[in-house]
Amino acid sequence: AEAAFRRCRQLEPHRLGGMEIYSTVLWFLKREHELCYLAQEMVALDRLAPQTWCVLGNCFSLQREFETAIKFFHRAVQVDTSFTYAYTLAGHEHVSNEAFEKAMASFRDALRYDDRHYNAWYGLGTIYLKQEKYQLAEYHFRRALAINPWNSVLHCYLGMALLSGGACEEAITVLQRAIDMDSMNPLARLRKAMALSHLQQNDEALAELMSLQQLAPRESTVHVQMGKVQKKLGKWHDALASFNHALDLDPKSGNMIKALIDKLQMADMMEDE
């Protein structure tokens, strides 16, 4: 996506349309220098365009200046009240600050102007997922998928809602669909492994985690989950190695991981007795 947008700007350097999406791409890639440069160019082109204010908002969001970012997103809708993407960006910014009521208001404003704006349906779904309202989360993710059915992330989050709601078998089907669409989606693979383990399909879960380890070798959560599955399979030494590796990767989660190690060692001693 970044390469396509760069090519677009080479062909049409004065283009405003779509630059708000380009700024979101740069935000996800953490390209602070490029995003700041894009913001400067947008201001020079047209400081009254809603796209310009969205780019500025993303620029300040990446610098973790959340209040300024929200102010600029609101400025974008003051310039053009029907610019739905700005409402959605403001909503996600509120979610990151756990201001869920404000976030829901922003997403609903986006849908008021465009009920096919799937990002807003997705945004509402993520809030309900955080609030453990799994049926509402599932409903909103399905609404987003009805608009954009080829989005791996949407399938992944629907799978997460189903898994959290206890529908493990359906969750596995949906998560596999997310993986088929994007084999590099680590979250979908992790959640699929968790669903398989919940159904006591631990050999399959471990195989999924081993594959995921190749994709995300420095993700401590993967090693923690691997240790849990290895423990279920009675592979005590492998489980201990996985927990210790997770501890090395993420010392901040030390208390949680050490508790898992203590439980593992206790279970091992009880079995020896």
Side-chain angles (χ1 to χ4, degrees), residues 205-246:
L206 185 57
E208 190 68 56
L209 289 165
M210 294 294 285
S211 176
L212 176 56
Q213 185 185 21
Q214 302 300 314
L215 189 63
R218 299 194 59 78
E219 180 53 60
S220 65
T221 309
V222 176
H223 295 282
V224 168
Q225 190 61 35
M226 191 178 297
K228 290 178 179 179
V229 172
Q230 288 163 333
K231 179 185 175 183
K232 286 185 176 182
L233 290 169
K235 299 181 178 182
W236 308 103
H237 295 296
D238 289 344
L240 182 60
S242 293
F243 289 144
N244 281 323
H245 194 179

Coordinates of all heavy atoms in Angstrom, one line a residue, residues 205-246:
A205 N -3.1 -27.6 18.0 CA -2.8 -26.3 18.5 C -1.3 -26.0 18.5 O -0.8 -25.0 18.2 CB -3.4 -26.1 19.9
L206 N -0.5 -27.0 19.0 CA 0.9 -26.9 19.0 C 1.5 -26.7 17.6 O 2.4 -25.9 17.4 CB 1.5 -28.1 19.7 CG 3.1 -28.1 20.0 CD1 3.4 -26.8 20.8 CD2 3.5 -29.3 20.6
A207 N 1.0 -27.5 16.7 CA 1.5 -27.3 15.3 C 1.2 -25.9 14.8 O 2.1 -25.3 14.1 CB 0.8 -28.3 14.4
E208 N 0.1 -25.3 15.1 CA -0.3 -24.0 14.7 C 0.7 -23.0 15.3 O 1.2 -22.0 14.7 CB -1.7 -23.6 15.1 CG -2.2 -22.3 14.5 CD -2.4 -22.4 13.0 OE1 -3.1 -23.3 12.5 OE2 -1.8 -21.5 12.3
L209 N 1.0 -23.2 16.6 CA 1.9 -22.3 17.3 C 3.3 -22.4 16.8 O 4.1 -21.4 16.8 CB 1.8 -22.6 18.8 CG 0.5 -22.2 19.5 CD1 0.4 -22.9 20.9 CD2 0.4 -20.7 19.7
M210 N 3.8 -23.6 16.5 CA 5.1 -23.8 15.9 C 5.2 -23.0 14.6 O 6.3 -22.4 14.3 CB 5.4 -25.3 15.7 CG 5.5 -26.1 17.0 SD 6.9 -25.7 18.0 CE 8.2 -26.4 17.1
S211 N 4.2 -23.1 13.8 CA 4.2 -22.3 12.5 C 4.2 -20.8 12.8 O 4.9 -20.0 12.2 CB 2.9 -22.7 11.7 OG 2.8 -21.9 10.6
L212 N 3.4 -20.4 13.8 CA 3.4 -19.0 14.2 C 4.7 -18.5 14.8 O 5.1 -17.3 14.5 CB 2.2 -18.8 15.3 CG 2.1 -17.4 15.8 CD1 1.9 -16.3 14.7 CD2 0.9 -17.3 16.8
Q213 N 5.4 -19.4 15.5 CA 6.7 -19.0 16.0 C 7.7 -18.6 14.9 O 8.5 -17.7 15.1 CB 7.3 -20.2 16.8 CG 8.6 -19.9 17.5 CD 9.2 -21.1 18.2 OE1 8.9 -22.2 17.8 NE2 10.0 -20.9 19.2
Q214 N 7.6 -19.2 13.8 CA 8.4 -18.8 12.6 C 8.1 -17.5 12.1 O 8.9 -16.7 11.6 CB 8.3 -19.9 11.5 CG 8.6 -21.3 11.9 CD 10.0 -21.4 12.4 OE1 11.0 -20.9 11.8 NE2 10.2 -22.1 13.5
L215 N 6.8 -17.1 12.3 CA 6.3 -15.8 11.8 C 6.6 -14.7 12.7 O 6.9 -13.6 12.3 CB 4.8 -15.9 11.5 CG 4.1 -14.8 10.8 CD1 4.6 -14.6 9.4 CD2 2.6 -15.0 10.8
A216 N 6.5 -15.0 14.0 CA 6.7 -14.0 15.1 C 7.6 -14.5 16.2 O 7.1 -14.8 17.3 CB 5.3 -13.5 15.6
P217 N 8.9 -14.7 15.9 CA 9.7 -15.4 16.9 C 10.0 -14.6 18.2 O 10.3 -15.2 19.2 CB 11.1 -15.5 16.1 CG 11.0 -14.5 15.1 CD 9.6 -14.3 14.7
R218 N 9.7 -13.3 18.2 CA 10.0 -12.5 19.4 C 8.7 -12.1 20.1 O 8.7 -11.2 20.9 CB 10.9 -11.3 19.0 CG 12.2 -11.6 18.4 CD 13.2 -10.5 18.4 NE 13.4 -9.9 19.7 CZ 14.2 -10.4 20.6 NH1 14.9 -11.5 20.4 NH2 14.4 -9.9 21.8
E219 N 7.6 -12.7 19.8 CA 6.3 -12.4 20.4 C 6.2 -13.3 21.6 O 5.9 -14.5 21.5 CB 5.2 -12.6 19.4 CG 3.8 -12.3 20.0 CD 3.7 -10.9 20.6 OE1 4.0 -9.9 19.9 OE2 3.5 -10.9 21.9
S220 N 6.3 -12.8 22.8 CA 6.3 -13.6 24.1 C 4.9 -14.3 24.2 O 4.9 -15.4 24.8 CB 6.5 -12.7 25.3 OG 5.5 -11.7 25.4
T221 N 3.8 -13.7 23.8 CA 2.5 -14.3 24.0 C 2.5 -15.7 23.3 O 1.8 -16.6 23.8 CB 1.4 -13.4 23.4 OG1 1.6 -12.1 23.9 CG2 0.0 -13.9 23.7
V222 N 3.2 -15.8 22.1 CA 3.2 -17.1 21.4 C 3.9 -18.1 22.2 O 3.4 -19.3 22.4 CB 3.9 -16.9 20.1 CG1 4.1 -18.3 19.3 CG2 3.2 -15.9 19.2
H223 N 5.0 -17.8 22.9 CA 5.7 -18.8 23.7 C 5.0 -19.1 25.0 O 5.0 -20.3 25.4 CB 7.1 -18.2 24.0 CG 8.0 -18.0 22.8 ND1 8.6 -19.1 22.2 CD2 8.3 -16.9 22.1 CE1 9.3 -18.6 21.1 NE2 9.1 -17.3 21.1
V224 N 4.2 -18.2 25.5 CA 3.4 -18.5 26.7 C 2.3 -19.5 26.3 O 2.1 -20.5 27.0 CB 2.8 -17.2 27.3 CG1 1.7 -17.5 28.3 CG2 3.8 -16.3 27.9
Q225 N 1.6 -19.2 25.2 CA 0.6 -20.1 24.8 C 1.2 -21.5 24.4 O 0.6 -22.5 24.7 CB -0.2 -19.5 23.6 CG -1.4 -20.3 23.2 CD -2.5 -20.3 24.3 OE1 -2.6 -19.3 25.1 NE2 -3.2 -21.4 24.5
M226 N 2.3 -21.5 23.8 CA 3.0 -22.8 23.5 C 3.3 -23.6 24.8 O 3.1 -24.8 24.8 CB 4.3 -22.5 22.7 CG 4.9 -23.7 22.1 SD 6.4 -23.3 21.1 CE 5.7 -22.3 19.8
G227 N 3.8 -22.9 25.8 CA 4.1 -23.5 27.1 C 2.8 -24.1 27.7 O 2.8 -25.3 28.2
K228 N 1.7 -23.4 27.6 CA 0.4 -23.9 28.1 C 0.0 -25.2 27.4 O -0.5 -26.2 28.0 CB -0.7 -22.9 28.0 CG -0.5 -21.7 29.0 CD -1.6 -20.7 28.8 CE -1.4 -19.5 29.7 NZ -2.5 -18.5 29.5
V229 N 0.1 -25.2 26.1 CA -0.3 -26.4 25.3 C 0.7 -27.5 25.6 O 0.3 -28.7 25.7 CB -0.3 -26.0 23.8 CG1 -0.5 -27.3 23.0 CG2 -1.4 -25.0 23.5
Q230 N 2.0 -27.3 25.7 CA 3.0 -28.3 25.9 C 2.7 -28.9 27.3 O 2.9 -30.1 27.5 CB 4.4 -27.7 25.8 CG 4.8 -27.5 24.4 CD 6.0 -26.5 24.3 OE1 6.3 -25.7 25.2 NE2 6.7 -26.7 23.2
K231 N 2.3 -28.1 28.3 CA 2.0 -28.6 29.6 C 0.8 -29.6 29.5 O 0.8 -30.7 30.1 CB 1.6 -27.5 30.5 CG 1.3 -27.9 31.9 CD 0.8 -26.7 32.8 CE 0.3 -27.2 34.2 NZ -0.2 -26.1 35.0
K232 N -0.2 -29.2 28.7 CA -1.4 -30.1 28.6 C -1.0 -31.4 27.9 O -1.6 -32.5 28.2 CB -2.4 -29.4 27.7 CG -3.2 -28.3 28.4 CD -4.3 -27.8 27.4 CE -5.2 -26.8 28.1 NZ -6.3 -26.3 27.2
L233 N 0.0 -31.4 27.1 CA 0.5 -32.6 26.4 C 1.5 -33.4 27.2 O 2.0 -34.5 26.8 CB 1.1 -32.2 25.1 CG 0.2 -31.7 24.0 CD1 0.9 -31.2 22.8 CD2 -0.8 -32.9 23.5
G234 N 1.8 -32.9 28.4 CA 2.7 -33.6 29.3 C 4.2 -33.4 28.9 O 5.1 -34.1 29.4
K235 N 4.4 -32.4 28.1 CA 5.8 -32.1 27.7 C 6.4 -31.0 28.6 O 6.5 -29.9 28.3 CB 5.9 -31.6 26.3 CG 5.3 -32.7 25.3 CD 5.4 -32.2 23.8 CE 4.9 -33.2 22.8 NZ 5.0 -32.8 21.4
W236 N 6.7 -31.5 29.9 CA 7.1 -30.5 30.9 C 8.3 -29.7 30.6 O 8.3 -28.5 30.8 CB 7.3 -31.3 32.2 CG 6.2 -32.2 32.6 CD1 6.2 -33.6 32.4 CD2 4.9 -31.9 33.2 NE1 5.0 -34.1 32.9 CE2 4.2 -33.1 33.3 CE3 4.3 -30.7 33.6 CZ2 2.9 -33.1 33.9 CZ3 3.1 -30.7 34.1 CH2 2.4 -31.9 34.2
H237 N 9.4 -30.4 30.1 CA 10.6 -29.7 29.9 C 10.5 -28.7 28.7 O 11.0 -27.6 28.8 CB 11.7 -30.7 29.6 CG 12.1 -31.5 30.7 ND1 12.6 -31.0 31.9 CD2 11.9 -32.9 30.9 CE1 12.8 -32.0 32.8 NE2 12.4 -33.2 32.2
D238 N 9.7 -29.1 27.7 CA 9.4 -28.1 26.6 C 8.6 -26.9 27.1 O 8.9 -25.8 26.7 CB 8.7 -28.9 25.5 CG 9.5 -29.9 24.7 OD1 10.8 -29.8 24.9 OD2 9.0 -30.7 24.0
A239 N 7.7 -27.2 27.9 CA 6.8 -26.1 28.5 C 7.7 -25.1 29.3 O 7.6 -23.9 29.1 CB 5.7 -26.7 29.3
L240 N 8.6 -25.7 30.1 CA 9.4 -24.8 30.9 C 10.3 -24.0 30.0 O 10.5 -22.8 30.3 CB 10.3 -25.7 31.8 CG 11.2 -24.9 32.8 CD1 10.5 -24.0 33.7 CD2 12.1 -25.9 33.6
A241 N 10.9 -24.6 28.9 CA 11.7 -23.8 28.0 C 10.9 -22.7 27.3 O 11.4 -21.6 27.2 CB 12.3 -24.8 27.0
S242 N 9.7 -23.0 27.0 CA 8.8 -22.0 26.3 C 8.6 -20.8 27.3 O 8.6 -19.6 26.9 CB 7.5 -22.6 25.9 OG 7.8 -23.5 24.8
F243 N 8.2 -21.1 28.6 CA 7.9 -20.1 29.5 C 9.2 -19.2 29.8 O 9.1 -18.0 29.9 CB 7.4 -20.7 30.9 CG 6.0 -21.3 30.8 CD1 5.7 -22.4 31.5 CD2 5.1 -20.6 30.0 CE1 4.4 -22.9 31.4 CE2 3.8 -21.1 29.9 CZ 3.4 -22.3 30.6
N244 N 10.3 -19.9 29.9 CA 11.6 -19.1 30.2 C 11.9 -18.2 29.0 O 12.4 -17.1 29.2 CB 12.7 -20.1 30.5 CG 12.7 -20.6 31.9 OD1 12.4 -19.9 32.8 ND2 13.1 -21.9 32.1
H245 N 11.7 -18.7 27.8 CA 11.9 -17.9 26.6 C 11.0 -16.7 26.6 O 11.4 -15.6 26.3 CB 11.7 -18.8 25.3 CG 12.3 -18.1 24.1 ND1 12.2 -18.7 22.9 CD2 12.9 -16.9 23.9 CE1 12.8 -17.9 22.0 NE2 13.2 -16.8 22.6
A246 N 9.7 -16.9 26.9 CA 8.8 -15.8 27.0 C 9.2 -14.8 28.0 O 9.1 -13.6 27.8 CB 7.4 -16.3 27.4

